[in-house]
């Protein structure tokens, strides 16, 4: 197996660091799937998929070399603590000139981060970090495949995440649960119920991509953990081109975020019992 890549663009290094930082806030253990075309970060919650983030390697890297376990199964699966990777990439905020990431074996498998920093002298400075990883054997690969996407009852564009974040930040101090609702007219509702009041915010005229709703009076909804939904809103740092909210009545909320065609993120939130 072999993996080596390099980033040299300041904006690309910043975007990659932001993505890793958000994942580090969500979990202490994630899976990285490496293929010839993309990097996929995967996070599970109680063995169910929570985050599946696909990054196009051609956008992020000026150099990308990957040889998997075999010609037939040309992939690599790694498991590690994203917090350690986020800390290692922290130096990229110091106007790094470039960064190399490669799979090494230093008594144990590691992702070795080599960051080239500017210097006043002719020679540049180099910052080196090793992030311990576990190479996932092939027999475990089925556990880390892309999640199955069900047929949802409604798919609607979400309002800008920064507006939603401002509202949910207040709501989460009042209730542990949040109900998301939408209908075929493009109305999207955030609602919480407390012992003393029901609080809701309505957004109108949003793009509806699909809907199985028959009656215009009915709304399709699901109640979810408000803190987990709030964690998703941290993806606003990636400045997405769009976010779709997909709802499976009383069962699941799926949030699909994309940045052009080089970042695609699926976020899954199961419904909770009221």
């Amino acid at each position: 197996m072999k993996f080596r890549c390099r980033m040299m663009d300041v904006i690309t290094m910043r975007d990659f660091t932001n993505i890793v930082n958000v994942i580090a806030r969500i979990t202490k253990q994630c899976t990285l799937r490496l293929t010839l075309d993309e990097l996929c970060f995967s996070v599970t919650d109680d063995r169910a998929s929570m985050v599946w983030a696909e990054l196009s390697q051609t956008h992020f890297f000026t150099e990308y070399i990957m040889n998997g376990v075999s010609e037939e199964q040309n992939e690599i699966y790694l498991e590690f603590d994203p917090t350690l990777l986020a800390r290692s990439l922290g130096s990229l905020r110091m106007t790094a000139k470039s960064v190399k990431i490669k799979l090494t074996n230093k008594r144990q498998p590691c992702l070795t981060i080599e960051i080239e920093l500017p210097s006043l002298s002719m020679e540049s400075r180099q910052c080196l970090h090793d992030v311990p990883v576990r190479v996932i054997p092939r027999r475990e690969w089925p556990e880390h495949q892309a999640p199955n996407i069900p047929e949802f009852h409604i798919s609607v564009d979400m309002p800008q995440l920064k507006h939603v974040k401002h509202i949910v930040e207040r709501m989460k101090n009042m209730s542990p649960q949040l109900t998301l609702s939408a209908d075929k007219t493009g109305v999207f509702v955030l609602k919480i119920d407390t012992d003393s009041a029901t609080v809701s915010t309505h957004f109108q005229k949003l793009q509806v991509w699909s809907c199985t709703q028959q009656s215009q009076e009915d709304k399709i909804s699901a109640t979810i953990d408000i803190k987990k939904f709030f964690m998703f809103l941290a993806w606003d740092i990636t400045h997405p081109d769009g976010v779709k909210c997909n709802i499976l009545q009383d069962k699941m909320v799926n949030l699909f975020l994309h940045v052009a065609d080089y970042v695609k993120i699926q976020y899954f939130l199961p419904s909770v019992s009221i």
Side-chain angles (χ1 to χ4, degrees):
M1 290 187 301
K2 179 189 293 186
F3 171 66
R4 184 173 76 244
C5 63
R6 185 179 187 185
M7 287 185 284
M8 299 184 68
D9 180 74
V10 174
I11 296 175
T12 299
M13 289 189 286
R14 181 203 64 195
D15 291 346
F16 186 82
T17 303
N18 286 340
I19 290 169
V20 174
N21 281 337
V22 175
I23 292 173
R25 293 182 203 174
I26 296 171
T27 184
K28 297 301 180 186
Q29 181 174 287
C30 80
T31 299
L32 175 61
R33 176 192 182 197
L34 302 169
T35 72
L36 289 175
D37 301 319
E38 60 190 13
L39 294 81
C40 302
F41 290 94
S42 175
V43 178
T44 58
D45 185 23
D46 290 333
R47 296 191 175 184
S49 182
M50 183 178 182
V51 179
W52 182 265
E54 298 177 357
L55 283 62
S56 169
Q57 65 90 355
T58 55
H59 172 80
F60 284 93
F61 305 108
T62 56
E63 176 188 351
Y64 187 90
I65 298 172
M66 198 286 300
N67 294 324
V69 296
S70 68
E71 290 186 6
E72 296 77 22
Q73 295 177 304
N74 196 13
E75 298 178 330
I76 301 173
Y77 288 74
L78 306 173
E79 190 175 69
F80 61 95
D81 183 345
T83 306
L84 299 178
L85 180 58
R87 289 174 185 167
S88 299
L89 295 174
S91 301
L92 298 185
R93 299 183 182 278
M94 301 165 58
T95 61
K97 295 174 67 176
S98 69
V99 57
K100 292 180 181 178
I101 306 174
K102 57 185 178 181
L103 182 61
T104 59
N105 196 346
K106 300 183 177 181
R107 296 186 179 178
Q108 74 171 89
C110 292
L111 280 176
T112 296
I113 320 295
E114 298 178 4
I115 300 174
E116 185 182 3
L117 299 171
S119 174
L120 295 176
S121 65
M122 294 295 292
E123 296 183 0
S124 60
R125 295 177 296 145
Q126 194 173 65
C127 185
L128 195 67
H129 299 270
D130 290 320
V131 177
V133 300
R134 181 177 82 93
V135 178
I136 299 175
R138 274 180 281 186
R139 65 178 180 275
E140 295 180 27
W141 285 12
E143 302 173 22
H144 303 279
Q145 298 299 307
N148 293 321
I149 309 297
E151 291 291 329
F152 293 100
H153 292 120
I154 194 167
S155 176
V156 60
D157 275 345
M158 278 189 64
Q160 290 189 24
L161 294 189
K162 63 180 179 181
H163 298 322
V164 177
K165 186 176 182 179
H166 179 69
I167 295 165
V168 175
E169 191 166 20
R170 297 187 177 187
M171 285 182 165
K172 71 182 177 68
N173 295 322
M174 303 167 64
S175 172
Q177 298 173 350
L178 172 71
T179 299
L180 300 185
S181 303
D183 65 26
K184 62 167 60 174
T185 66
V187 174
F188 180 75
V189 182
L190 305 168
K191 186 183 76 170
I192 58 169
D193 289 302
T194 70
D195 293 338
S196 56
T198 295
V199 181
S200 62
T201 300
H202 296 242
F203 298 89
Q204 297 182 342
K205 298 182 180 179
L206 297 171
Q207 174 72 50
V208 178
W209 295 96
S210 65
C211 182
T212 62
Q213 176 188 6
Q214 300 298 321
S215 171
Q216 192 161 317
E217 288 73 30
D218 295 336
K219 284 186 172 13
I220 296 170
S221 63
T223 300
I224 56 176
D225 185 312
I226 195 168
K227 290 184 178 178
K228 291 181 179 179
F229 180 71
F230 188 71
M231 284 194 293
F232 166 78
L233 299 176
W235 289 105
D236 183 46
I237 197 171
T238 63
H239 305 292
D241 293 326
V243 181
K244 290 181 184 177
C245 178
N246 306 308
I247 303 175
L248 192 61
Q249 178 71 36
D250 294 330
K251 290 185 178 180
M252 177 192 292
V253 170
N254 164 264
L255 302 159
F256 174 67
L257 175 152
H258 67 93
V259 183
D261 60 350
Y262 56 83
V263 175
K264 297 177 182 178
I265 296 167
Q266 301 274 359
Y267 197 87
F268 300 86
L269 292 170
S271 61
V272 296
S273 55
I274 303 176

